[in-house]
């Protein structure tokens, strides 16, 4: 006996078509994942190397002595650490936690700093956990509010995996044909969805990398567009690029021009991926939402710069913007 359509609609697995993606459980999306976690006493430099070698931008920090996760460590935390160590960021004493004071003291005394002092340091992407049974629709709503990733926990308190904005987007795009009610929004253009008239933080290619990082920190953004003298997009610098500054202790890269830095990062990525060129991270202002999502998925980046026909930056589409749109299409 077949179930009525009204029941099938919210019973994932009972039908092979017309899946309701919002009802999928988080544990289904992390099956087979071998999550990376970082020991709380690992040095920041080694923690950064773990992220780089694992090809991830963030990992939970686990304190074995306390038997609990004490935060997330990502490249935003690393950027904040670098700026604090170089005395390029001022935090009022009354706003400093004990951990931050300890970190500042150790870094300026050139002592090894454990990653537990830097986890969640930026305050931009703290440790967020969800139960394995949490529905994808709820996670998408969280992602639309600015959360970038969630730790998926089993009922026994163990880490089952980590769901990021990128991994969820990849899942949705790979199964898009099964989610027919998402098709209409995919055909809309970026202007129709209000994704062009965004304020864009930019720097000139001649500016120092350190200036770009300070601008990103003070404006609470994760990326900055790099423009030439005519205002044409020539690249971008994101928090993830800081891994190339820390790798092999290339601190001198901080004083390169942004143009030089973008070139060096592209060269480094080309060596790692075996590609001659790193893809240009832009999309035309008249593109459809579906095209932008496909490019985000293919390039594995967290944002695309929206450019007009003259190559001038007209906006930016971030993964958070994407999930704001998608969250509007979740089943209430």
């Amino acid at each position: 006996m077949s179930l009525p359509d009204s029941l099938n609609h919210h019973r994932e697995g009972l039908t092979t078509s017309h899946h309701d993606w919002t009802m999928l459980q988080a544990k289904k999306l992390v099956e087979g994942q071998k999550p990376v976690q970082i020991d709380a006493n690992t040095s920041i430099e080694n923690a950064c190397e773990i992220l780089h070698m694992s090809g991830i931008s963030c990992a939970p920090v686990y304190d074995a002595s306390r038997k609990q996760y004490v935060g997330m460590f990502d490249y935003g935390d690393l950027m904040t650490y670098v700026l604090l160590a170089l005395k390029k960021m001022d935090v009022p004493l009354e706003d400093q936690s004990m951990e931050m004071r300890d970190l500042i003291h150790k870094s300026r005394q050139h002592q090894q700093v454990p990653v537990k002092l830097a986890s969640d340091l930026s305050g931009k992407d703290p440790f967020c956990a969800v139960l394995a049974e949490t529905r994808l629709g709820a996670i998408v709503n969280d992602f639309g509010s600015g959360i970038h990733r969630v730790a998926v926990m089993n009922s026994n308190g163990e880490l089952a995996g980590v769901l990021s904005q990128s991994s969820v987007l990849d899942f949705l795009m790979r199964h898009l044909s099964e989610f027919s009610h998402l098709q209409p929004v995919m055909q809309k253009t970026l202007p129709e969805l209000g994704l062009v008239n965004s304020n864009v933080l930019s720097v000139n290619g001649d500016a120092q990398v350190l200036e770009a990082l300070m601008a990103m920190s003070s404006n609470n953004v994760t990326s900055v567009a790099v423009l030439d003298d005519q205002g044409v997009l020539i690249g971008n610098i994101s928090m993830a690029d800081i891994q190339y500054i820390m790798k092999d202790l290339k601190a001198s890269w901080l004083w390169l021009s942004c143009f030089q830095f973008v070139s060096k990062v592209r060269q480094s990525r080309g060596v790692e991926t075996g590609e001659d060129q790193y893809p240009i991270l832009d999309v035309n202002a008249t593109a459809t939402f579906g095209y932008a999502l496909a490019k985000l998925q293919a390039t594995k980046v967290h944002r695309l710069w929206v450019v007009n026909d003259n190559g001038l930056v007209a906006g930016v589409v971030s993964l958070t913007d994407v999930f704001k749109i998608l969250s509007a299409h979740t089943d209430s």
Side-chain angles (χ1 to χ4, degrees), residues 48-115:
C48 182
E49 184 66 13
I50 290 171
L51 294 184
H52 180 78
M53 296 302 295
S54 303
I56 55 179
S57 60
C58 180
V61 177
Y62 185 74
D63 190 330
S65 65
R66 298 166 59 183
K67 297 183 179 180
Q68 67 182 45
Y69 292 94
V70 294
M72 283 275 191
F73 177 70
D74 65 9
Y75 291 125
D77 300 320
L78 182 63
M79 183 182 76
T80 303
Y81 163 71
V82 169
L83 294 178
L84 284 171
L86 294 174
K87 300 181 182 180
K88 298 297 182 181
M89 173 185 284
D90 293 321
V91 179
L93 189 61
E94 60 270 19
D95 293 337
Q96 295 179 15
S97 64
M98 290 181 61
E99 290 80 6
M100 182 180 290
R101 293 174 193 172
D102 194 11
L103 176 145
I104 292 173
H105 174 75
K106 288 180 180 296
S107 65
R108 293 177 182 175
Q109 294 297 319
H110 305 290
Q111 299 176 13
Q112 190 175 80
V113 181
V115 71

Side-chain angles (χ1 to χ4, degrees), residues 182-250:
L182 284 180
Q183 299 301 329
V185 71
M186 294 295 170
Q187 302 305 317
K188 292 188 176 182
T189 64
L190 299 181
E192 287 176 324
L193 295 172
L195 294 174
V196 173
N197 299 317
S198 302
N199 292 326
V200 175
L201 183 66
S202 64
V203 294
N204 187 273
D206 293 332
Q208 282 188 342
V209 173
L210 186 56
E211 295 177 51
L213 298 186
M214 293 169 62
M216 289 162 57
S217 177
S218 61
N219 287 276
N220 198 32
V221 298
T222 60
S223 184
V224 59
V226 180
L227 311 179
D228 66 12
D229 291 335
Q230 283 71 49
V232 175
L233 180 70
I234 57 177
N236 80 181
I237 295 176
S238 70
M239 287 183 179
D241 293 329
I242 262 212
Q243 63 184 291
Y244 295 98
I245 294 172
M246 298 297 293
K247 190 181 180 185
D248 300 325
L249 301 178
K250 294 177 181 175

Side-chain angles (χ1 to χ4, degrees), residues 30 32-38 54 56 59-60 69 152 158-162:
V30 297
Q33 188 181 120
K34 296 180 179 179
V36 175
Q37 64 183 35
I38 304 174
S54 303
I56 55 179
Y69 292 94
V152 180
E158 293 180 352
L159 180 68
V162 175

Side-chain angles (χ1 to χ4, degrees), residues 154-172:
N154 290 326
S155 57
N156 56 9
E158 293 180 352
L159 180 68
V162 175
L163 273 182
S164 67
Q165 290 179 328
S166 295
S167 62
V168 170
L169 175 65
D170 181 66
F171 170 82
L172 290 175

